[in-house]
């Protein structure tokens, strides 16, 4: 039986009209039409069990994330408008080396910079509601798996894996994968693995679990010397304290094809198996595709089928959370290819 999908129409509430890219403002690469291509492909391929989630439960987020950050996300738009700002929320001032990182400004312009790590990500009046609806989809998928399903797909938008415990950026506001992993732990899983196959390093997930030994994080991504988020994602970042050894990065250079990429995936799968994971969260980005506009790997559409087959062989209860993928016409094909490969393994 096809995987159940959870999806909310409220993702449409987040649609900034501008993204700063290459020194100019462009229509954001992360936009509502991404979801439409996935939905259409799901239906074409028989994944007709698509359900609207219940409202998001913020309690798991409050236990995992910085409370000041969550308060900021909820009030940022009202505060921005109260200050007389005319446009969308875009960070213009950020703390840099030598500045205070422990003092939150009172002015909303400074507060935005404090809680943001990438100024390409704008916020609008509907961003908070859309982020909550994205989290709600992920939580509904987790509950479905906790109730006995082997796997479920959360068609999350906006994505989540770049959101840290106290910062947004990379189009992400709430880290859906991390919150789902915590819910799995709270539900009785002793060890949860988060496997991130998005082209961009899952810096937010790494940040949240870096000092913990009960959640393994493995990320396959473009080398940070050449790819966003640039300042994190190196192979020597292996965790700290209780988390030493529970963080695994596979940075790869421009032009990487599937043979090399799949070797890294096999290594990650083996590490997850050897570590003894009880459950899996898959951060599914399909921007490793060869024609993605903001990535530089060379995976082709059939490779995503094989990817899903390989991951399924872990035979773990799995929640699949949608992350990136910006080759709009191919994002639906590649996403569903992973799901079909996973389902038919």
């Amino acid at each position: 039986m096809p995987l159940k999908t959870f999806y909310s129409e409220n993702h449409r509430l987040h649609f900034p009209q501008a993204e700063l890219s290459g020194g100019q403002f462009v229509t954001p690469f992360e936009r509502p039409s991404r979801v439409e291509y996935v939905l259409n492909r799901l239906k074409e391929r028989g994944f007709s069990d698509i359900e609207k989630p219940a409202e998001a439960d913020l309690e798991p987020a409050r236990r995992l994330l910085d409370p000041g950050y969550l308060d900021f996300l909820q009030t940022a738009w009202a505060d921005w408008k109260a200050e007389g700002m005319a446009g969308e929320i875009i960070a213009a001032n950020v703390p840099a080396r030598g500045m205070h990182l422990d003092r939150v400004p009172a002015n909303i312009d400074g507060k935005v910079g404090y809680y943001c790590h990438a100024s390409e990500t704008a916020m609008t009046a509907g961003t908070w509601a859309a982020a909550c609806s994205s989290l709600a989809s992920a939580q509904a998928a987790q509950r479905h798996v906790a109730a006995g399903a082997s796997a479920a797909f959360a068609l999350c938008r906006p994505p989540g894996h770049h959101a840290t415990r106290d910062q947004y950026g990379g189009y992400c506001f709430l880290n859906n994968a991390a919150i789902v992993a915590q819910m799995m732990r709270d539900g009785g899983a002793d060890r949860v693995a988060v496997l991130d196959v998005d082209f961009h390093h899952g810096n937010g997930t790494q940040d949240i679990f870096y000092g913990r030994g009960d959640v393994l994080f493995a990320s396959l991504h473009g080398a940070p010397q050449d790819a966003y988020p640039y300042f994190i994602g190196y192979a020597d970042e292996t965790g700290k304290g209780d988390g030493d050894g529970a963080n695994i990065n596979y940075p790869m250079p421009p032009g990487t094809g599937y043979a090399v990429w799949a070797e890294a995936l096999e290594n990650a799968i083996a590490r997850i198996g050897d570590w003894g994971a009880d459950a899996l969260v898959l951060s599914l980005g399909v921007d490793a595709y060869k024609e993605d506009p903001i990535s530089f790997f060379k995976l082709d559409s059939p490779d995503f089928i094989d990817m899903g087959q390989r991951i399924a062989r872990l035979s773990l209860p799995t929640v699949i959370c949608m992350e990136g993928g910006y080759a709009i016409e191919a994002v639906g094909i590649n996403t569903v290819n992973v799901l079909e490969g996973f389902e038919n393994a």
Side-chain angles (χ1 to χ4, degrees):
M1 187 173 181
L3 293 174
K4 191 178 186 72
T5 295
F6 294 90
Y7 156 78
S8 172
E9 277 285 307
N10 283 346
H11 79 92
R12 299 179 187 279
L13 298 173
H14 173 70
F15 188 14
Q17 297 305 294
E19 171 183 339
L20 185 60
S21 176
Q24 62 183 341
F25 284 107
V26 301
T27 301
F29 293 102
E30 202 295 294
R31 51 187 183 262
S33 55
R34 296 176 62 241
V35 167
E36 294 307 313
Y37 283 100
V38 177
L39 280 174
N40 290 339
R41 186 63 174 177
L42 284 168
K43 294 169 184 175
E44 287 173 8
R45 301 298 296 175
F47 289 81
S48 57
D49 192 1
I50 301 172
E51 183 175 312
K52 178 183 176 181
E55 294 295 314
D57 177 7
L58 291 177
E59 282 308 309
R62 291 191 182 99
R63 294 197 298 271
L64 195 64
L65 307 180
D66 177 71
Y69 172 60
L70 289 174
D71 290 343
F72 159 78
L73 289 177
Q74 294 176 69
T75 62
W77 184 255
D79 293 345
W80 185 257
K81 289 303 170 184
E83 191 65 22
M85 305 296 194
E88 298 173 345
I89 298 176
I90 299 176
N93 302 280
V94 298
R97 287 185 293 274
M99 295 183 179
H100 282 290
L101 301 177
D102 57 342
R103 300 180 185 179
V104 184
N107 182 277
I108 185 59
D109 189 40
K111 191 175 289 188
V112 167
Y114 181 85
Y115 285 118
C116 180
H117 64 70
S119 60
E120 89 290 287
T121 302
M123 298 174 67
T124 71
T127 294
W128 171 246
C132 287
S133 77
S134 183
L135 174 60
S137 294
Q139 291 181 316
Q142 188 276 331
R143 294 188 191 100
H144 186 62
V145 171
S150 60
F153 175 48
L155 182 47
C156 299
R157 182 187 174 270
H161 74 146
H162 293 308
T164 71
R165 65 178 300 275
D166 61 359
Q167 287 185 310
Y168 71 94
Y171 313 131
C172 302
F173 303 94
L174 294 172
N175 195 313
N176 302 309
I179 295 169
V180 163
Q182 184 60 52
M183 290 173 66
M184 287 174 157
R185 283 285 293 113
D186 294 343
D190 290 329
R191 291 189 161 200
V192 177
V194 181
L195 175 61
D196 192 324
V197 298
D198 190 281
F199 167 81
H200 301 93
H201 178 250
N203 61 291
T205 314
Q206 174 170 307
D207 168 77
I208 290 168
F209 294 120
Y210 202 65
R212 289 176 51 172
D214 57 337
V215 178
L216 177 78
F217 176 65
S219 177
L220 286 68
H221 53 270
Q225 301 97 316
D226 300 300
Y228 176 87
Y230 296 113
F231 308 105
I232 189 172
Y234 290 89
D236 60 0
E237 299 164 11
T238 59
K240 67 179 181 181
D242 292 342
D244 186 23
N247 195 89
I248 313 166
N249 285 324
Y250 299 88
M252 289 170 274
T256 294
Y258 190 61
V260 172
W261 194 95
E263 184 177 348
L265 178 63
E266 282 299 320
N267 186 277
I269 289 170
R271 294 283 295 272
I272 291 169
D274 291 344
W275 186 70
D278 301 308
L280 177 69
V281 181
L282 176 62
S283 273
L284 176 58
V286 293
D287 43 2
Y289 179 58
K290 64 183 181 181
E291 295 179 5
D292 194 274
I294 55 174
S295 309
F296 55 60
F297 287 168
K298 299 300 179 184
L299 275 61
D300 207 347
S301 290
D303 299 329
F304 290 92
I305 298 174
D306 184 69
M307 179 195 304
Q309 291 173 338
R310 291 172 187 257
I311 295 168
R313 289 198 286 268
L314 278 165
S315 297
L316 293 172
T318 302
V319 174
I320 303 169
C321 293
M322 190 72 201
E323 302 288 1
Y326 309 101
I328 298 298
E329 295 184 5
V331 67
I333 293 170
N334 295 335
T335 298
V336 177
N337 277 1
V338 175
L339 301 182
E340 289 190 322
F342 185 95
E343 185 181 56
N344 297 324

